[in-house]
Amino acid sequence: MQISDELAYAIASVTEVAALAAHDWVGKQDKHAADKAAVEAMRNRLNAIDFHGQVVIGEGEIDEAPMLYIGEQVGNPSAKQKLDIAVDPIDGTRMVACNEHNAIAVLAAAPTGALLQAPDMYMEKLVVGKEAKGAVHLANPLEKNLENLSSALNKPIADLSIAILDKPRHQHIMQTLRHFGVNVVTIPDGDVLASLLAILPEQPIDMMYGTGGAPEGIISAAIARALGGDMQARLVTRTLAKGDSPENRLLAEQEALRCQQMGVAIGEILTLETMVSTDDVMFAATAITPTVLMSGIAYNANGRTSSTLLINGNNRSLKIINNRHFN
């Protein structure tokens, strides 16, 4: 059963209520309280919608945060419409805590079985737009991908802009990119927005690359599938992402066990079609703090305003929904 426009709008309201709840914690230096508020608001709204959903990949285990847990059932169990859900109640919890730009609440949905189920762990990601589809590959050296991307976009390497999370694990990659003259766009936290900007043709980001959370990876794959972009990924253990330590080795062992139980392999290159197997996919994002695409939650005399982006893969459409919420 195809995702109807009515259901897509209803699901878009899920990120809206999460953003409104998280906004109460902007600038208060408590990212866990913000996350908890967003999770509770998101769960309550999901359970009020007439569909049966299952969270196939959710946020929480990496940061020991509140979570919509993997396997959680939401909505109405007897509803005819059954969907897989991938969520990140706040992509950029630190930005909320510190009152910085680009914190968003995000969700992707597709018919049951269409989204890859994977543990909440780290994932290496390579995201490009439609013009560069098929030009880059995780199996290639970075230099080769830069050459291929340059050729596909008909743009000199020195004119390429590549977004990457500003983390210690990426310092050597950023040095390599700068060595080739690339414009490196560093992101403090949260890479879903960067993936979206890489996929949208009118935006200046040509590629998003690096290792971040797997939930954000599946959500980014939903955007790429819906808008005709391209993405590859592979799951990465905690030791590779965060360094070798007794604690990280223990967590890596647990990740390996969870991957085995879910039937996914660490280090295997995942294609876009493996991560999202249908064009019947939707993505919603509501800005908590201001972004380049959406205004953040803002107060006015009568209440608050919100800005939500809704992407529908069925018709390759992107809408911005601006709402007023009266006191």
Side-chain angles (χ1 to χ4, degrees):
M1 183 184 295
Q2 193 175 78
I3 300 175
S4 66
D5 287 341
E6 181 182 4
L7 181 57
Y9 278 108
I11 292 176
S13 74
V14 174
T15 60
E16 187 177 72
V17 297
L20 288 165
H23 187 259
D24 292 337
W25 293 93
V26 167
K28 295 183 178 178
Q29 300 294 325
D30 193 339
K31 66 179 186 178
H32 291 296
D35 212 16
K36 184 175 186 292
V39 167
E40 289 177 353
M42 188 172 271
R43 178 179 284 120
N44 290 339
R45 181 56 61 91
L46 283 167
N47 285 329
I49 299 173
D50 187 26
F51 83 113
H52 181 214
Q54 175 174 283
V55 178
V56 296
I57 188 161
E59 191 60 273
E61 294 167 337
I62 285 179
D63 299 316
E64 297 179 358
M67 64 188 299
L68 279 151
Y69 62 85
I70 296 168
E72 181 172 350
Q73 307 291 310
V74 293
N76 176 9
S78 61
K80 291 182 179 179
Q81 181 75 74
K82 302 187 184 303
L83 299 177
D84 284 347
I85 303 290
V87 297
D88 191 352
I90 303 177
D91 189 34
T93 53
R94 192 194 59 79
M95 280 103 85
V96 170
C98 299
N99 193 12
E100 296 177 359
H101 286 193
N102 298 323
I104 56 178
V106 296
L107 178 152
T112 298
L115 299 183
L116 179 72
Q117 186 172 13
D120 181 12
M121 57 189 293
Y122 285 95
M123 175 183 273
E124 183 184 8
K125 313 163 200 178
L126 185 64
V127 183
V128 293
K130 186 176 182 179
E131 290 184 351
K133 188 175 180 69
V136 294
H137 200 286
L138 274 178
N140 290 340
L142 183 55
E143 180 181 358
K144 180 66 174 175
N145 279 332
L146 293 177
E147 292 172 357
N148 290 350
L149 184 63
S150 170
S151 177
L153 299 180
N154 193 27
K155 183 184 288 190
I157 289 177
D159 290 344
L160 294 176
S161 292
I162 296 178
I164 187 167
L165 286 168
D166 190 5
K167 303 293 183 183
R169 60 182 174 269
H170 292 149
Q171 293 305 310
H172 67 290
I173 298 172
M174 290 188 280
Q175 289 174 3
T176 300
L177 291 171
R178 290 180 175 124
H179 173 76
F180 287 105
V182 171
N183 175 33
V184 178
V185 181
T186 55
I187 316 159
D189 293 289
D191 56 16
V192 173
L193 182 62
S195 295
L196 174 61
L197 295 176
I199 293 163
L200 291 175
E202 70 274 16
Q203 296 299 323
I205 304 297
D206 298 306
M207 183 171 79
M208 197 291 293
Y209 176 60
T211 299
E216 294 91 338
I218 300 303
I219 292 168
S220 295
I223 302 170
R225 186 70 196 242
L227 295 181
D230 201 8
M231 177 176 174
Q232 293 178 350
R234 52 188 162 199
L235 295 171
V236 174
T237 62
R238 174 72 68 122
T239 49
L240 286 176
K242 300 284 283 185
D244 191 10
S245 69
E247 180 185 4
N248 287 344
R249 282 197 295 273
L250 178 61
L251 290 168
E253 290 172 3
Q254 294 171 354
E255 290 167 347
L257 179 60
R258 292 201 301 274
C259 284
Q260 186 178 16
Q261 291 168 342
M262 292 183 183
V264 292
I266 293 173
E268 178 183 338
I269 294 177
L270 303 168
T271 65
L272 179 60
E273 291 70 26
T274 299
M275 291 183 281
V276 184
S277 63
T278 178
D279 289 338
D280 185 21
V281 60
M282 62 146 295
F283 164 81
T286 303
I288 304 166
T289 58
T291 77
V292 67
L293 297 174
M294 301 166 283
S295 302
I297 304 295
Y299 289 95
N300 58 46
N302 298 309
R304 290 188 286 180
T305 58
S306 65
S307 181
T308 299
L309 182 147
L310 174 60
I311 293 173
N312 192 327
N314 286 318
N315 53 18
R316 293 266 200 268
S317 66
L318 184 155
K319 302 177 179 70
I320 300 288
I321 305 165
N322 294 312
N323 274 342
R324 297 179 68 183
H325 308 268
F326 294 97
N327 291 328

